[in-house]
Amino acid sequence: MTNLTAEEMLSIEERFPHVFRRPLYQRFGTLFLFAGTVLYLIYAAWFFSLPQVLRESHWERLPLFLSQWISYDLQPEFRLDQPEITPKYPRFSALGDNPNPDWVIKNPDGTYTVQIDGQARSVTFDKTQATIVAYGQTVPISLTGGKPVVTGPVPDWVTVHDDEVVAKMGFVGEVRVTADRVKVRKRFLGWANFVFDTRSPFFGKSAGEVVSLIVSGPELQPGTSNLALAGDNIWNNAQWQHGDVWTKLLQTIVMAFLGTLLGGIVAFPLAFFAARNLTPSGVLGQVLKRFFDFMRSVDMLIWALFFTRAFGPGPLAGSAAIFFTEIGTLGKTYSEALENIDDKPREGVLSTGANGLLVQRYGVMPEVVPIFISQTLYQWESNTRGATIIGAVGAGGIGLKLWEAMRTNSNWANVFYMVLLTLAVVFIFDNISNFLRRRLSRTIHDYNRLQAQQG
Amino acid sequence: MTSATFHSDATRQQADAWRRQTSLRRFYTALGVGLLLLAMFSSMWFADEANAGHFFERLPHILDFLSWLIPKDWNDVWRALFDIASPHDKGTQEFNFPLGRVYVWGGFYIPEYFELMLTTVNTALVATFIGFVFAIPFSFIAARNLTPSPILRLVVKRFMELLRAFPEIVIAGLFAAIVSVGPVAAIIAIGLHSIGALGKLFYEINENVDMRPEEGLRAVGANWFERVRFADLPQVLPNFISYTLLRVEINVRASTIIGAVGGGGIGEELKLSISRGFGAKTLALVLLLFTTIFIVDQFSAWLRRKLVGEQAFLMGA
């Protein structure tokens, strides 16, 4: 690389003044834009009181919630103030009515041992004292003084409160000891009772047992075949609500399908009257275009709220909301596609003396139908995604179920189940729509190529 | 167009074949349309069955709702919009508009709805900004012609697909439990979605980029980052900004909807107003929302046209 002399530099500068002597706004435009963005972000941080929100947020809950998406816990409780120590399980425990898990052991000497992670993390207790074992350490707790007292050093995974000792053992669970009870939380990977709930006669049986029962077992419920009973039990699983979830999912799909299709059907003729080059009257075109704008900008949410009031909550309201929005969206895109057509085929058909309808049918339609279908498919795909949201305001579908499951803050596994189903549906519909659109664009491409060949 | 064309056997055979093909084609078209109609009517039936109120049963009452919406005194709409006391105020929340005033300075206030609308628009803007900032690097990694590594490309593409498809209300709900219910959860939800949505549009632009400047830079030994920065980014940036502006429009709507399910902003107020049956308030809110969305649409359309010209409007993205 040669070094430039001052003279050469000057001559270059003279030859390209638009590069070196640009107006001020061009030279500092980027800088101003950057500074403006930074200022806006500072304003936004103040507006949303971001520092305070961040200070009050509980990020430690995130891994907790995420772990709850893929696991479940069991919480046996042992009352020590009864004549005899007995394990108690919550009413809707995942273990069913007669829980006898092998990790709760009644020792011959009358003490109980609960294994949270095998022998390595466990708690052994009777009425007078408890011993917690974890991370290779043993923590004895005396229960005789009316409150739990740790006798010996307290490791950092044990917290001593006034009347409670809490031992956290990571993902696998925790132990809480008070003077009159021991509470254990044991966490398992996976989803409990996903197939059969605890009320089902098939509950707790292995897959082989269930199959043999269905194939050749005695009727568990007289008058119903075992297959039908099993199907009914799965469909009406109280904890996972498969039937309800799948129906709601179908509602979401139906809402998107109906709304988009009906929107397309209504927008199709209107678009011809709205297109600048095809409309018989400019005023009509303008009116229709403003009508499309209105339908679009009133927003799916308002339509959804409106129709839930009119029809009551459910997929009918959702379909109607998508339908009204789609009239606007599809009307706009259709009429824009019509305005971009090649005028020659139309003139050709017109020159044969065909009437208005025939001109549209043979002169315009063949050109735009693939584009129309492609745009409709695209909208269908995006509405399948969007329908979950308006569902949450009562317009039917999986949205409301999702929202309700999240509001309780406890059913994260159910949330994840529904999310997985929704994702599966979205992916399947994406692929169908992509496939069809690729087929269509290939047709358009072939058509263009043929035209080019013929000159 | 004379019958002479049919005299030779070959042409007749051709004509027959053509006729057979068209009739087959017609049959397929009819079959397709029939199936579509079947699907449509069964969906209608299904939606009607699953709905709380049925279509034909509710149809005569659909105007009840509209007539409820129309206030007895049209001035109430303006009063509601600007939080001015209504003479109809009987101590009910329906007419007690001044309750919502947001005092900025002494006696100077902005009406509640303007602040709510500001929240919604700001939510959309910040979320779009998040989408824009993260989508740019992702889009260069995901573009077939620019990617530094094919495996990384696949990972980033799948990740963006996931962000796009993941239901926004789930993200909003999850973060509502972490950062408390409000616009910040909505920003995160819409922002994550925007990363996926913009990233896809961006990398499709990137794949159509002119590769010659890039080759020039490669020839002088520029690394991947320099090539992307100096050869590709200047080419694609106008289109990026155009799509981002389009996204602002979409996100204003999205933040309204998320607001309705607890994300704060005008959506929540609108939902409450409708469910409580406040006619004038609802109209005022719809009017405000309609105007805002119209302004945002027009402004971003104008800016896009200035940036990239008519080309930005060809394919509705």
Side-chain angles (χ1 to χ4, degrees):
Chain A
M1 194 159 172
T2 53
N3 283 324
L4 293 175
T5 62
E7 208 169 304
E8 280 169 330
M9 280 181 180
L10 270 179
S11 87
I12 289 176
E13 204 177 320
E14 221 130 85
R15 269 183 290 154
F16 304 104
H18 61 278
V19 177
F20 290 97
R21 290 186 213 121
R22 290 185 303 170
L24 206 65
Y25 76 91
Q26 269 189 11
R27 260 196 271 174
F28 296 106
T30 321
L31 194 67
F32 281 142
L33 204 65
F34 185 73
T37 312
V38 170
L39 279 180
Y40 173 73
L41 288 178
I42 292 171
Y43 157 75
W46 167 80
F47 184 85
F48 293 116
S49 41
L50 208 58
Q52 194 197 345
V53 170
L54 287 182
R55 208 165 44 242
E56 286 168 7
S57 59
H58 303 271
W59 289 98
E60 74 280 359
R61 286 185 191 162
L62 185 64
L64 194 71
F65 286 150
L66 291 182
S67 71
Q68 282 177 15
W69 289 29
I70 49 160
S71 64
Y72 66 98
D73 54 16
L74 295 173
Q75 303 175 28
E77 190 186 312
F78 302 85
R79 296 286 295 267
L80 305 179
D81 50 2
Q82 307 289 326
E84 194 181 350
I85 305 174
T86 47
K88 244 186 97 208
Y89 295 87
R91 211 147 68 85
F92 298 108
S93 166
L95 287 171
D97 289 334
N98 187 22
N100 265 317
D102 54 2
W103 41 271
V104 174
I105 302 156
K106 191 169 185 188
N107 296 321
D109 60 352
T111 60
Y112 262 97
T113 301
V114 182
Q115 298 178 343
I116 292 156
D117 188 16
Q119 276 297 345
R121 291 177 201 180
S122 64
V123 56
T124 307
F125 54 89
D126 58 17
K127 287 184 177 187
T128 53
Q129 69 156 5
T131 316
I132 301 174
V133 179
Y135 304 107
Q137 291 164 306
T138 305
V139 180
I141 302 169
S142 154
L143 298 172
T144 43
K147 64 178 192 174
V149 177
V150 178
T151 50
V154 181
D156 55 359
W157 47 272
V158 174
T159 323
V160 182
H161 298 289
D162 260 0
D163 53 355
E164 189 180 44
V165 174
V166 183
K168 290 196 188 295
M169 302 182 183
F171 177 79
V172 290
E174 63 177 32
V175 179
R176 285 168 182 272
V177 183
T178 57
D180 57 353
R181 72 189 65 192
V182 174
K183 276 188 195 170
V184 176
R185 178 194 286 267
K186 181 172 159 78
R187 184 159 281 282
F188 297 83
L189 263 182
W191 291 343
N193 310 342
F194 185 68
V195 182
F196 296 110
D197 67 11
T198 52
R199 296 170 311 163
S200 163
F202 296 102
F203 174 73
K205 295 193 165 49
S206 72
E209 279 177 307
V210 171
V211 168
S212 70
L213 261 177
I214 288 173
V215 173
S216 60
E219 276 185 6
L220 292 171
Q221 204 179 74
T224 330
S225 78
N226 278 349
L227 184 63
L229 184 68
D232 181 69
N233 282 165
I234 295 173
W235 190 250
N236 294 318
N237 184 325
Q239 198 180 343
W240 290 91
Q241 306 175 340
H242 297 292
D244 200 21
V245 168
W246 285 74
T247 318
K248 292 276 160 59
L249 196 66
L250 187 64
Q251 286 181 12
T252 303
I253 299 169
V254 160
M255 275 155 57
F257 170 71
L258 258 189
T260 318
L261 186 64
L262 291 177
I265 290 174
V266 172
F268 177 70
L270 293 183
F272 282 86
F273 289 103
R276 205 187 312 121
N277 49 346
L278 302 177
T279 180
S281 114
V283 178
L284 181 67
Q286 278 303 313
V287 169
L288 276 175
K289 279 199 169 160
R290 294 293 85 78
F291 169 68
F292 293 152
D293 283 351
F294 174 75
M295 298 300 265
R296 245 170 341 118
S297 56
V298 167
D299 205 274
M300 203 184 279
L301 171 73
I302 301 177
W303 288 127
L305 289 172
F306 175 85
F307 283 112
T308 41
R309 275 298 283 236
F311 291 130
L316 196 58
S319 312
I322 297 178
F323 167 50
F324 269 49
T325 325
E326 279 317 296
I327 293 177
T329 317
L330 288 177
K332 179 182 183 266
T333 48
Y334 284 1
S335 60
E336 273 169 8
L338 284 171
E339 282 170 6
N340 286 325
I341 56 163
D342 183 5
D343 232 18
K344 277 170 272 182
R346 195 167 137 256
E347 277 167 19
V349 178
L350 204 60
S351 69
T352 63
N355 67 22
L357 205 64
L358 286 175
V359 173
Q360 311 304 337
R361 168 64 186 86
Y362 293 101
V364 180
M365 284 267 285
E367 253 186 283
V368 291
V369 159
I371 303 173
F372 281 10
I373 296 180
S374 154
Q375 279 165 345
T376 316
L377 284 171
Y378 191 87
Q379 281 309 116
W380 178 42
E381 181 190 318
S382 88
N383 282 334
T384 310
R385 282 190 206 128
T388 41
I389 285 199
I390 57 164
V393 297
I398 194 110
L400 191 60
K401 257 198 114 44
L402 267 173
W403 188 244
E404 279 167 357
M406 278 182 306
R407 283 316 269 272
T408 57
N409 257 350
S410 58
N411 266 334
W412 290 103
N414 271 20
V415 172
F416 190 46
Y417 172 48
M418 285 186 258
V419 166
L420 281 185
L421 287 179
T422 318
L423 284 180
V425 165
V426 169
F427 274 117
I428 291 169
F429 278 50
D430 267 15
N431 283 325
I432 294 177
S433 146
N434 277 338
F435 168 75
L436 288 176
R437 271 190 295 152
R438 217 174 306 128
R439 280 290 299 267
L440 272 171
S441 71
R442 204 160 66 205
T443 327
I444 299 173
H445 183 75
D446 287 346
Y447 170 79
N448 287 341
R449 192 166 43 86
L450 278 176
Q451 265 198 335
Q453 273 173 6
Q454 286 160 5
Chain B
M1 263 298 197
T2 58
S3 54
T5 44
F6 288 96
H7 279 175
S8 81
D9 263 359
T11 27
R12 189 171 301 134
Q13 269 172 12
Q14 250 183 356
D16 282 349
W18 181 77
R19 220 170 277 133
R20 262 201 309 281
Q21 269 196 339
T22 34
S23 67
L24 194 67
R25 208 190 130 107
R26 279 207 189 114
F27 170 71
Y28 280 137
T29 312
L31 191 71
V33 170
L35 283 178
L36 196 66
L37 284 180
L38 186 72
M40 190 176 95
F41 284 114
S42 51
S43 311
M44 279 174 167
W45 176 84
F46 174 74
D48 195 44
E49 279 299 299
N51 209 65
H54 297 294
F55 183 72
F56 289 109
E57 189 184 295
R58 293 293 312 165
L59 201 58
H61 299 283
I62 204 164
L63 289 179
D64 294 359
F65 178 70
L66 271 183
S67 62
W68 159 81
L69 205 58
I70 292 168
K72 291 186 190 68
D73 182 359
W74 278 98
N75 287 326
D76 267 344
V77 176
W78 300 111
R79 289 189 198 113
L81 198 56
F82 296 106
D83 292 345
I84 300 165
S86 166
H88 306 288
D89 186 4
K90 296 180 285 286
T92 58
Q93 277 196 2
E94 184 177 357
F95 292 112
N96 200 356
F97 303 130
L99 266 186
R101 284 181 188 176
V102 178
Y103 285 93
V104 180
W105 199 279
F108 177 73
Y109 70 92
I110 48 170
E112 182 187 21
Y113 306 141
F114 286 61
E115 216 231 350
L116 291 173
M117 197 68 237
L118 203 63
T119 311
T120 300
V121 173
N122 272 331
T123 306
L125 284 177
V126 176
T128 316
F129 179 77
I130 294 176
F132 179 72
V133 166
F134 284 95
I136 288 180
F138 283 174
S139 75
F140 284 111
I141 297 171
R144 193 178 296 119
N145 49 344
L146 303 175
T147 182
S149 121
I151 298 167
L152 197 63
R153 165 171 185 264
L154 218 65
V155 172
V156 168
K157 255 181 90 166
R158 290 291 98 78
F159 177 62
M160 289 198 300
E161 264 169 31
L162 194 69
L163 285 184
R164 223 166 34 241
F166 214 89
E168 272 163 307
I169 55 163
V170 175
I171 303 178
L174 179 65
F175 281 95
I178 292 164
V179 297
S180 81
V181 180
V184 178
I187 290 176
I188 297 173
I190 303 170
L192 287 180
H193 185 85
S194 299
I195 296 174
L198 283 178
K200 177 193 153 77
L201 293 172
F202 285 5
Y203 86 72
E204 279 170 2
I205 299 171
N206 283 340
E207 288 185 347
N208 291 321
V209 84
D210 180 3
M211 291 299 278
R212 276 168 298 186
E214 153 121 9
E215 274 164 32
L217 278 178
R218 195 190 291 267
V220 299
N223 64 23
W224 183 81
F225 180 77
E226 284 163 348
R227 289 203 305 271
V228 164
R229 163 69 188 85
F230 293 105
D232 306 310
L233 197 63
Q235 287 185 57
V236 293
L237 206 55
N239 279 314
F240 279 12
I241 293 173
S242 157
Y243 278 129
T244 310
L245 288 170
L246 196 70
R247 198 72 221 172
V248 172
E249 289 176 33
I250 300 170
N251 280 353
V252 171
R253 292 154 203 271
S255 65
T256 317
I257 300 188
I258 289 268
V261 286
I266 199 143
E268 194 170 17
E269 191 68 21
L270 183 67
K271 191 189 166 200
L272 282 178
S273 173
I274 288 187
S275 65
R276 285 175 186 165
F278 299 163
K281 256 191 187 182
T282 308
L283 274 183
L285 286 169
V286 171
L287 193 71
L288 185 63
L289 196 60
F290 183 61
T291 319
T292 314
I293 288 180
F294 184 75
I295 291 172
V296 171
D297 274 15
Q298 293 299 315
F299 179 70
S300 95
W302 171 79
L303 214 58
R304 275 160 64 212
R305 198 166 273 138
K306 265 194 86 168
L307 267 169
V308 276
E310 284 294 329
Q311 178 209 340
F313 295 86
L314 284 186
M315 180 61 203

